[in-house]
Amino acid sequence: MSALFGSPADVGARLAETGYLADEAITTTVFLADALGKPLLVEGPAGVGKTELAKAVAAATGAELVRLQCYEGLDEPRALYEWNYKKQLLRIQAASAGTGEQGWDSLQTDIFTEEFLLERPLLAAIRRAEPTVLLIDETDKADIEVEGLLLEVLSDFQVTIPELGTVTAVRRPFVVLTSNAARELSEALKRRCLYLHLDYPAPEREREIVLARVPGIEAALAERIVDTVGTLRGLEIKKAPSIAETIDWAHTLLALGVTELDEAAVGRTLGVVLKHVSDQTRAVKELGLPDR
Ligand SMILES: Nc1ncnc2c1ncn2[C@@H]1O[C@H](COP(=O)(O)OP(=O)(O)OP(=O)(O)O)[C@@H](O)[C@H]1O
Ligand SMILES: [Mg+2]
């Protein structure tokens, strides 16, 4: 396997070129995951840059992103591969309509071929010869059985299709699994991964992220936004605003032409950062904002 990155510093510089600003814990873990050929499990609250990290690694290395979005009910045929039954059926009908009798044996070898295979993200990522980032997003949303499948695939990077044989990765994809920790992932799966916990960044870093993501925003306003978001995170609320909300807020204020984040401006745009009525009520009270 050829490594994508030369050093943790190289990871940092190349991610930064894509607009993703990573601290040392991130760059080191990404570097090691690449160097050791291990999947990277990224855990943390919503909107802190888990999914974006995988996208940034792909962009930074010119790799293609193959994404498996996990959800309740995701099963093997959707994650790995399935046979195109409709097409197979048509082939059988065509065969019997045309030449009349066709031997079952020859038909069977005929309809379980590449032509009738529907490749899903896991198989697609394993078969690609070009650099690939496999993003297994929101792993904790999938049922526990999917973890068994992931374990199998991520242990050997191979898949056995009974009718076609075993497919082994010619080039291991860089694998990123993300989780909100809605439920604990199995120890067996964790053991195979390098683990990275992402949290809200330091104010200084978050300001840089806002400046990088929201062109045209004034540095002083960015600082005020980040400070205010920091204060909101300190309140006892249901859903603390994430980096995503900080960026949205900056976009909103820019669009409204607001240059000063005074109490009126905060009150007017609070819905961009706080998405629960009870959180908004609390913020209005604690920050002494004008009643809306
Ligand atoms: N370190 C960073 N540098 C630049 N932008 C960042 C960074 N972290 C997060 N972002 C921004 O925050 C947004 C939200 O990130 P992302 O969608 O990756 O969150 P997430 O952790 O996957 O959230 P969820 O758990 O809800 O899926 C991204 O669109 C990205 O612009
Ligand atoms: Mg995400």
Side-chain angles (χ1 to χ4, degrees):
M1 194 194 61
S2 57
L4 299 169
F5 298 104
S7 65
D10 179 38
V11 176
R14 285 164 67 190
L15 290 183
E17 276 172 24
T18 75
Y20 192 92
L21 306 179
D23 62 20
E24 220 181 310
I26 300 177
T27 57
T28 307
T29 322
V30 167
F31 171 74
L32 287 176
D34 175 38
L36 303 176
K38 283 198 165 213
L40 174 61
L41 170 60
V42 188
E43 216 168 57
V48 292
K50 302 182 297 293
T51 302
E52 194 69 23
L53 176 60
K55 291 184 185 170
V57 169
T61 57
E64 181 156 327
L65 186 80
V66 174
R67 182 174 185 159
L68 174 64
Q69 184 65 45
C70 297
Y71 53 87
E72 221 183 295
L74 173 70
D75 54 7
E76 197 170 309
R78 293 276 150 190
L80 196 57
Y81 73 89
E82 65 184 315
W83 292 106
N84 189 339
Y85 297 120
K86 284 191 191 128
K87 203 170 167 189
Q88 287 176 323
L89 205 61
L90 284 174
R91 167 60 60 90
I92 295 170
Q93 283 171 349
S96 55
T99 56
E101 282 292 297
Q102 186 182 1
W104 170 244
D105 283 347
S106 70
L107 194 57
Q108 196 184 18
T109 49
D110 198 32
I111 59 172
F112 289 101
T113 54
E114 191 63 40
E115 195 192 336
F116 298 91
L117 187 70
L118 292 175
E119 195 181 62
R120 302 298 183 205
L122 291 179
L123 181 61
I126 281 194
R127 293 215 289 188
R128 279 178 53 84
E130 301 80 30
T132 305
V133 172
L134 170 61
L135 166 62
I136 304 173
D137 212 12
E138 311 197 358
T139 313
D140 51 337
K141 302 244 165 66
D143 305 305
I144 192 97
E145 296 79 47
V146 173
E147 276 185 46
L149 174 66
L150 291 178
L151 263 181
E152 232 178 277
V153 173
L154 300 179
S155 301
D156 309 326
F157 287 91
Q158 66 178 34
V159 170
T160 300
I161 305 173
E163 299 86 351
L164 289 183
T166 299
V167 182
T168 307
V170 257
R171 174 181 210 138
R172 279 192 182 197
F174 183 94
V175 184
V176 178
L177 301 101
T178 79
S179 162
N180 269 330
R183 87 177 151 71
E184 282 282 324
L185 301 181
S186 73
E187 287 304 325
L189 184 59
K190 283 188 174 171
R191 190 151 36 81
R192 279 173 180 76
C193 300
L194 291 188
Y195 180 80
L196 174 66
H197 180 77
L198 280 190
D199 216 329
Y200 307 120
E204 176 67 15
R205 176 39 56 91
E206 192 161 9
R207 229 184 55 209
E208 289 168 2
I209 294 176
V210 172
L211 292 174
R213 293 282 178 190
V214 189
I217 194 96
E218 295 281 339
L221 181 58
E223 188 169 347
R224 272 283 290 148
I225 293 171
V226 168
D227 284 352
T228 313
V229 167
T231 308
L232 294 174
R233 283 181 192 147
L235 302 179
E236 255 186 46
I237 50 179
K238 267 194 204 160
K239 169 68 182 69
S242 67
I243 306 176
E245 271 98 25
T246 312
I247 293 172
D248 282 350
W249 209 12
H251 277 302
T252 303
L253 296 171
L254 197 64
L256 290 174
V258 173
T259 48
E260 187 126 358
L261 191 57
D262 52 20
E263 282 166 3
V266 174
R268 198 145 68 92
T269 54
L270 206 53
V272 180
V273 254
L274 297 178
K275 316 274 171 78
H276 291 275
V277 185
S278 57
D279 288 355
Q280 293 191 359
T281 312
R282 169 151 294 206
V284 166
K285 200 167 116 218
E286 306 251 350
L287 302 184
L289 301 177
D291 245 341
R292 294 173 311 141

